[in-house]
C-alpha cells in the first residue's frame, strides 16, 4: 500500500517542487515569496517522509534484503562525509572524519543510509561547532562513532529516540518526521549490529554503531 501511495504521489510532489523552484526565481512581493518557500519546504518534507516509509516498508517486509559483506569502513565513512560536507558548511559547521583501517561486515548501500540519517540529525540539531565521524576496531565488532556538539538529548528520552515517529517536544520547531533513527536502527540490526547513544544536554551527543567483524 505504501509503495502504491509513493507511486501515485511522486509526480505531483515533483511538480510542486519544480514549480516552487521556478517561482522563487521570479520577482514577487516578500509575503508571496515566503509562501512559495514554505510550500517548497513542506513538499520536500513530504517527499522525504514517503521515501523513508517506502524504504522501511520494503525492509520490514523482506522486499529488499540486506547483503552484508566484509569490507573496509573507510570508503563508507568517506561517502557519507562527501554527501554532507556542503550541508554542514552552509550551517557554519565543520564535518570531520578520522581515517581508519577498521573492517566490518555490512551492506554498503544500506549502512550508508543509516549513517546518513544520523549525520543529517547531527547537522540539524547542532548550531555551532563540529561533527566528527570515527571508527575503532575491537575483537568481535567495529564501532563507528558520530559525535556532535549540539543540543544533546535528555537521559529520559535517549531510549525513545529510536522509536518510529518519536520527536521530543524540545525539537518540534525543527524539520523532521521522526523516522530517520528508527530506519537506521532497523538497518544496523538487520546486519547483526546495534546502535547506542551517549549524550549530555547542552554539550552534544555520540551515536555509536557496532557492526560485526
Amino acid at each position: 500500500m505504501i509503495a502504491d501511495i509513493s507511486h501515485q504521489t511522486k509526480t505531483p510532489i515533483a511538480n510542486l517542487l519544480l514549480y516552487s523552484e521556478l517561482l522563487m526565481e521570479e520577482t514577487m512581493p516578500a509575503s508571496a515569496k515566503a509562501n512559495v518557500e514554505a510550500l517548497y519546504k513542506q513538499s520536500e518534507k513530504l517527499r522525504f517522509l514517503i521515501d523513508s516509509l517506502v524504504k522501511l516498508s520494503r525492509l520490514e517486509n523482506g522486499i529488499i534484503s540486506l547483503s552484508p559483506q566484509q569490507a573496509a569502513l573507510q570508503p563508507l565513512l568517506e561517502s557519507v562525509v562527501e554527501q554532507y560536507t556542503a550541508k554542514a558548511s552552509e550551517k557554519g559547521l565543520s564535518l570531520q572524519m578520522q581515517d581508519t583501517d577498521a573492517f566490518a561486515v555490512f551492506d554498503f548501500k544500506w549502512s550508508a543510509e543509516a549513517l546518513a540519517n544520523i549525520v543529517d540529525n547531527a547537522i540539524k540539531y547542532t548550531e555551532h561547532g563540529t561533527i566528527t565521524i570515527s571508527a575503532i576496531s575491537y575483537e568481535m565488532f567495529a564501532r563507528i562513532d558520530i559525535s556532535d556538539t549540539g543540543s544533546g538529548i535528555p537521559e529520559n528520552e535517549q531510549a525513545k529516540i529510536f522509536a518510529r515517529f518519536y520527536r521530543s517536544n524540545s525539537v518540534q520547531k525543527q524539520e523532521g518526521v521522526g523516522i530517520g533513527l528508527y530506519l537506521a536502527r532497523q538497518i544496523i540490526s538487520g546486519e547483526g549490529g546495534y546502535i547506542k547513544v551517549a549524550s549530555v544536554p547542552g554539550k552534544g551527543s555520540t551515536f555509536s554503531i557496532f557492526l560485526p567483524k
Side-chain angles (χ1 to χ4, degrees):
M1 184 181 73
I2 291 174
D4 238 11
I5 294 171
S6 171
H7 179 73
Q8 293 173 22
T9 58
K10 186 172 289 186
T11 300
I13 292 172
N15 288 341
L16 270 175
L17 288 167
L18 178 60
Y19 186 53
S20 300
E21 286 177 341
L22 292 173
L23 282 176
M24 284 190 285
E25 295 175 1
E26 300 293 326
T27 302
M28 62 179 72
S31 59
K33 190 163 188 176
N35 288 335
V36 172
E37 289 174 351
L39 175 64
Y40 182 84
K41 287 180 180 178
Q42 291 304 312
S43 299
E44 272 282 10
K45 186 175 179 180
L46 182 58
R47 181 171 67 175
F48 175 79
L49 172 59
I50 292 172
D51 286 348
S52 297
L53 285 172
V54 169
K55 290 172 187 174
L56 187 57
S57 175
R58 288 175 175 170
L59 273 174
E60 291 179 335
N61 290 289
I63 298 172
I64 294 177
S65 58
L66 300 171
S67 301
Q69 298 179 2
Q70 189 179 58
L73 288 175
Q74 179 84 4
L76 173 67
L77 306 189
E78 287 176 345
S79 72
V80 175
V81 170
E82 182 179 357
Q83 182 181 351
Y84 279 94
T85 294
K87 186 171 183 177
S89 297
E90 286 172 7
K91 201 173 176 182
L93 303 173
S94 173
L95 178 57
Q96 301 177 356
M97 188 195 90
Q98 297 176 8
D99 289 340
T100 180
D101 58 2
F103 280 72
V105 176
F106 60 95
D107 181 303
F108 189 99
K109 176 185 174 182
W110 285 100
S111 291
E113 176 84 22
L115 290 175
N117 287 341
I118 296 172
V119 171
D120 189 63
N121 267 14
I123 294 171
K124 192 182 301 178
Y125 301 122
T126 301
E127 296 303 323
H128 309 284
T130 304
I131 295 155
T132 305
I133 305 176
S134 60
I136 187 170
S137 185
Y138 296 103
E139 184 177 354
M140 300 295 292
F141 284 87
R143 189 186 82 205
I144 301 171
D145 286 338
I146 300 171
S147 302
D148 64 58
T149 54
S151 56
I153 305 161
E155 186 175 355
N156 66 338
E157 293 187 356
Q158 290 176 19
K160 303 175 184 177
I161 59 173
F162 295 102
R164 192 198 304 244
F165 300 124
Y166 179 80
R167 300 200 74 216
S168 169
N169 289 331
S170 62
V171 299
Q172 290 299 321
K173 292 183 180 179
Q174 295 274 9
E175 290 184 10
V177 294
I179 200 170
L181 292 179
Y182 179 80
L183 180 58
R185 188 181 67 171
Q186 293 295 104
I187 292 168
I188 300 304
S189 295
E191 295 175 320
Y194 61 98
I195 303 178
K196 293 175 64 176
V197 62
S199 185
V200 178
K203 293 188 177 180
S205 306
T206 296
F207 284 82
S208 296
I209 296 172
F210 292 81
L211 293 169
K213 292 177 68 177

